[in-house]
Amino acid sequence: MRTLVIGSGGREHALINALAHDPAIDELHAAPGNAGIARQATCHPEAGPIDNAVAMVTLAEEIQAELVVIGPEAPLVSGVSDALREAGFAVFGPSAAAARLEGSKAFAKQIMKDAGVATATADELNPGVSDAEIEEILDRYGPIWVVKDDGLAGGKGVVVTPERTAARAHVDAVLAAGNPVLLETFLDGPEVSLFCLVDGETVVPLLPAQDHKRAYDHDEGPNTGGMGAYTPLDWLPEGATQTLVDDLVAPVAREMVRRGTPYSGLLYLGAAWGAKGPAVVEFNARFGDPETQPILSLLKTPLGEVLHATATGRLSEIGPLDWADEYAVTVVVAAKNYPISPVKGGEITGEGLDDPAVVLHAGTSRDAEGRLIASGGRVLNIMGRGKTLVQACEEVYRNVDKLQLEGSFTRSDIARKAVEGEIRIPE
Ligand code: GLY
């Protein structure tokens, strides 16, 4: 099966690596890809912007793709999957209408309300709202304010803060950019990412994982796209995955079918597990990054057939997925000054850079001399697996120590709270 993966980050390298191990996949292409992906797939940086539907359809036609997998949210929200489907391709990724679950937080709230799933209470403010109305709504929220840009903001749209001035500043910044802004109640409890393959009303969950969104140890510093993740989560209650599917994901999938915009692709549930049970923090319309990296490293079912079945309306024919009975941890190597103004161009050296079981590439490319250089904020995803979470952590940090990129940093506490038994569901 000739397969094209659209995107260039660590998530896409994890997808490419899993697809490369599927005997049904005989040709792999990526647009644009990165330096690590280039060792496992033919990269097409010349194809043009990945959210340009004409460019992506032209590339899929050139390579006669039998499956197209769309990694990031921007091409999904802008309708690239619709254009590819109209051109006759099997596409893994929701339509633009269904990707609104990620593209508009206000739309997602309405769907959750109609589907009857638990989520934070929210109020929406639109550009032109008066100063007094903003202050009145800020009065009603807090002492931790959750302020969300309604639209896509490349990981910079959400501010969670105990400081009212910081909350007000984010409200003002989002409104000034011409976007609606949502204020939400803060959901207490540890966070879970559950990725589900969804094909209409059929929902097949992957392993639950936990991301670490803050830049620095002890969950300090600015929010990032994610600095590391691990799976599975031993601290979840018995039957947690099925509860998340039954209570939060399946009702939304049914509601999308009822509205005539069925979901097809990967639906990412971000949930907080509080005293009253789990509630939705967010839905995303794609695999998460970096959780995909450890999750797919444990997947034993060939990925290509699963994605193709979803893309062609046959997910119900696929049984439960098969997983290695292990733990996996990913630690992100970030460039100096990430996420504010990451320093690009530094040379990356060390061991494991050509082994996707050790390193999955994210923001990497080659310079004119062929040196491997940092070309993004999140540069590398270092991998570790083990029979226990402790062993997986030991391995991942041994692998981190083998790599050098001047000025780069990692968190040293990925999965530590889970290892130390410090994650508790509030009572
Ligand atoms: N891990 C966060 C995200 O993918 O949005």
Side-chain angles (χ1 to χ4, degrees):
M1 185 158 52
R2 273 182 306 281
T3 301
L4 167 64
V5 175
I6 294 177
S8 63
R11 163 186 49 215
E12 285 74 26
H13 195 185
L15 287 164
I16 289 276
N17 184 46
L19 292 166
H21 287 87
D22 180 343
I25 306 285
D26 46 20
E27 219 177 286
L28 271 172
H29 296 261
N34 62 35
I37 290 174
R39 300 188 70 86
Q40 295 179 286
T42 305
C43 289
H44 296 274
E46 77 293 344
I50 61 169
D51 56 359
N52 180 322
V54 174
M56 293 302 107
V57 170
T58 303
L59 175 61
E61 282 169 347
E62 271 167 24
I63 64 180
Q64 297 181 1
E66 292 159 291
L67 172 66
V68 183
V69 181
I70 302 181
E73 59 276 20
L76 293 166
V77 170
S78 70
V80 170
S81 58
D82 303 87
L84 284 160
R85 274 195 194 97
E86 275 159 32
F89 294 100
V91 184
F92 183 84
S95 64
R100 285 186 77 206
L101 278 171
E102 175 163 6
S104 167
K105 305 263 182 290
F107 173 78
K109 281 283 170 202
Q110 188 59 50
I111 294 287
M112 286 184 254
K113 188 167 174 236
D114 294 349
V117 306
T119 186
T121 307
D123 273 297
E124 185 181 346
L125 295 169
N126 288 292
V129 63
S130 73
D131 197 63
E133 280 173 286
I134 296 173
E135 288 301 319
E136 189 270 318
I137 284 189
L138 284 170
D139 286 344
R140 282 199 266 127
Y141 287 85
I144 299 179
W145 283 270
V146 180
V147 185
K148 293 185 175 178
D149 188 332
D150 177 62
L152 295 183
K156 299 196 177 86
V158 181
V159 166
V160 181
T161 176
E163 289 166 27
R164 187 179 171 121
T165 48
R168 173 70 202 242
H170 193 53
V171 169
D172 290 344
V174 176
L175 292 174
N179 296 335
V181 64
L182 270 76
L183 272 114
E184 290 191 7
T185 46
F186 177 70
L187 290 173
D188 199 14
E191 290 200 5
V192 186
S193 301
L194 185 71
F195 300 166
C196 295
L197 298 156
V198 176
D199 168 17
E201 295 195 8
T202 306
V203 178
V204 176
L206 281 65
L207 291 178
Q210 192 177 50
D211 190 9
H212 295 62
K213 292 215 175 73
R214 300 277 179 170
Y216 312 131
D217 283 5
H218 313 296
D219 294 324
E220 289 173 1
N223 253 334
T224 70
M227 291 297 292
Y230 66 97
T231 186
L233 311 180
D234 285 347
W235 49 266
L236 281 174
E238 185 79 21
T241 297
Q242 200 55 48
T243 301
L244 292 166
V245 169
D246 291 346
D247 293 359
L248 305 181
V249 181
V252 164
R254 284 196 294 272
E255 175 61 18
M256 295 303 281
V257 170
R258 193 191 68 76
R259 286 173 172 242
T261 51
Y263 197 95
S264 168
L266 193 291
L267 187 56
Y268 166 144
L269 164 70
W273 203 299
K276 292 187 193 144
V280 179
V281 174
E282 62 177 352
F283 279 111
N284 292 317
R286 35 114 193 141
F287 283 94
D289 191 340
E291 299 99 308
T292 300
Q293 290 80 314
I295 291 171
L296 290 187
S297 78
L298 299 183
L299 181 66
K300 286 173 37 184
T301 310
L303 182 66
E305 174 50 17
V306 170
L307 301 187
H308 191 258
T310 310
T312 52
R314 296 180 298 107
L315 182 60
S316 58
E317 294 168 20
I318 301 276
L321 303 174
D322 192 16
W323 301 97
D325 187 15
E326 290 188 29
Y327 294 79
V329 181
T330 294
V331 172
V332 169
V333 176
K336 185 175 178 178
N337 292 342
Y338 173 77
I340 311 300
S341 55
V343 175
K344 298 180 188 171
E347 186 177 6
I348 306 159
T349 55
E351 287 173 41
L353 287 161
D354 293 335
D355 181 354
V358 178
V359 178
L360 291 167
H361 289 233
T364 68
S365 58
R366 302 242 170 228
D367 69 8
E369 284 83 51
R371 293 179 314 161
L372 184 67
I373 57 163
S375 56
R378 290 188 292 176
V379 183
L380 302 170
N381 299 272
I382 315 305
M383 308 295 292
R385 272 177 65 166
K387 280 283 166 204
T388 65
L389 186 57
V390 172
Q391 284 171 4
C393 286
E394 285 167 358
E395 179 170 306
V396 80
Y397 281 107
R398 269 198 302 276
N399 290 336
V400 166
D401 288 343
K402 293 177 190 161
L403 291 155
Q404 296 86 42
L405 167 62
E406 198 182 329
S408 66
F409 68 96
T410 57
R411 276 184 62 157
S412 68
D413 64 349
I414 302 302
R416 187 182 293 160
K417 281 188 183 161
V419 164
E420 294 180 355
E422 284 175 12
I423 302 183
R424 274 185 210 94
I425 292 170
E427 295 187 353

